[in-house]
Amino acid sequence: MPVSDYVASIRSRIGTDLLLLPGVTAVIRERDRFLLARHRHSGLWSLMGGAVEPGEEPAEALHREVGEETGAAVRIRGIVGVYGGDPMMVTYPNGDQVGYVTTAYDCELLSAAVADQDELLEVGWFARDEIAALPRRDWIDRVIADAPVGMKTAGTSA
């Protein structure tokens, strides 16, 4: 997705210098599997999400970002945690530096998710132990470790 008007106006004044932005992250899971996306700009697997726009509620931003990136709808079940610091620093291919402080939401997928082929190359479901073998953003390890264990159903274990 193109840069928002808000970020573009700041970038016109500060160039590629570091910009601290509030963000949201969708931790979409079914039992012990997590829905991850491989991002076009890095080729790495990560959770879905993005920046909160001025005047936008974080939960609204989460629904917007997941919808834009995958066309899917989600139901928010709770908050996993809030994350920032060095692991959340990104330098985009155009040189823009961003530091995110993101609220990670535990989510349930309500409709099919398909990579938009603009921001995302592909999406896939992975168990916790499979994620460690993926080329990924390191910060997702902490978020996934903090995510609630999958719900148990009759005859299965989480």
Side-chain angles (χ1 to χ4, degrees):
M1 176 178 178
V3 173
S4 72
D5 292 341
Y6 172 69
V7 171
S9 74
I10 294 171
R11 287 280 175 221
S12 72
R13 294 180 294 239
I14 69 166
T16 61
D17 287 350
L18 179 63
L19 179 59
L20 187 62
L21 291 174
V24 291
T25 299
V27 183
I28 301 169
R29 63 181 179 84
E30 289 181 356
R31 294 187 180 85
D32 67 339
R33 298 181 317 142
F34 293 82
L35 184 64
L36 301 182
R38 194 162 63 90
H39 291 256
R40 179 172 297 283
H41 71 88
S42 67
L44 299 175
W45 289 91
S46 191
L47 298 163
M48 288 164 267
V52 178
E53 296 295 329
E56 186 175 40
E57 289 285 337
E60 291 172 1
L62 180 93
H63 289 289
R64 175 182 51 76
E65 286 288 344
V66 171
E68 288 172 359
E69 294 176 2
T70 69
V74 295
R75 180 176 68 83
I76 295 173
R77 295 187 279 216
I79 293 175
V80 174
V82 180
Y83 305 86
D86 193 52
M88 300 302 297
M89 305 295 276
V90 177
T91 299
Y92 289 100
N94 66 358
D96 286 353
Q97 299 171 56
V98 178
Y100 290 101
V101 175
T102 191
T103 302
Y105 290 88
D106 178 35
C107 299
E108 173 186 9
L109 190 65
L110 300 177
S111 61
V114 178
D116 67 358
Q117 299 302 309
D118 180 29
E119 287 186 68
L120 306 181
L121 296 171
E122 60 184 313
V123 296
W125 289 97
F126 301 93
R128 289 176 193 258
D129 59 346
E130 295 171 317
I131 294 170
L134 295 173
R136 68 196 180 286
R137 293 271 180 214
D138 292 340
W139 65 268
I140 72 169
D141 296 346
R142 181 173 169 211
V143 177
I144 289 170
D146 291 348
V149 175
M151 304 266 309
K152 291 184 179 183
T153 58
T156 65
S157 61

